[in-house]
Amino acid sequence: VYNAAPTWGVTVGDALGVPDPVLTQHQHQHQGQTFSFLGIRVSSPLSLVVNGKRPPGSALAPPRLALSNPSAPL
């Protein structure tokens, strides 16, 4: 689950409700092989319903800021 805190997750056997899913077909080629799979995206892990309940706020990973400047001297 993207953007989920490392301490939160779902387990085998959990009932998972996915409101407003976005289904995407992925196709990648690597070393002459083609890999094709479906992906389901939701806006946030907090929008899921797990075993009839919404996840706690702590299920959302904290934001991280990453900066890069390719033209900066090393």
Side-chain angles (χ1 to χ4, degrees), residues 57-70:
S58 60
L60 187 61
R64 293 187 308 161
L65 178 63
L67 301 173
S68 67
N69 185 351

Side-chain angles (χ1 to χ4, degrees), residues 1 7 9 17 21-22 24 26 31-32 37-38 43 46 48 58 66 68 72-73:
V1 176
T7 56
V22 176
T24 306
H26 298 271
Q31 297 181 348
F37 59 92
L38 295 174
S43 59
L46 300 181
L48 298 172
S58 60
S68 67

Side-chain angles (χ1 to χ4, degrees), residues 1-3 18-24 26 38-44 47-48:
V1 176
Y2 294 106
N3 297 323
V18 184
D20 301 321
V22 176
L23 183 65
T24 306
H26 298 271
L38 295 174
I40 299 174
R41 301 273 321 229
V42 294
S43 59
S44 165
S47 67
L48 298 172

Side-chain angles (χ1 to χ4, degrees), residues 1 8-12 14 16 48 50:
V1 176
W8 181 85
V10 294
T11 58
V12 173
D14 283 346
L16 185 64
L48 298 172
V50 182

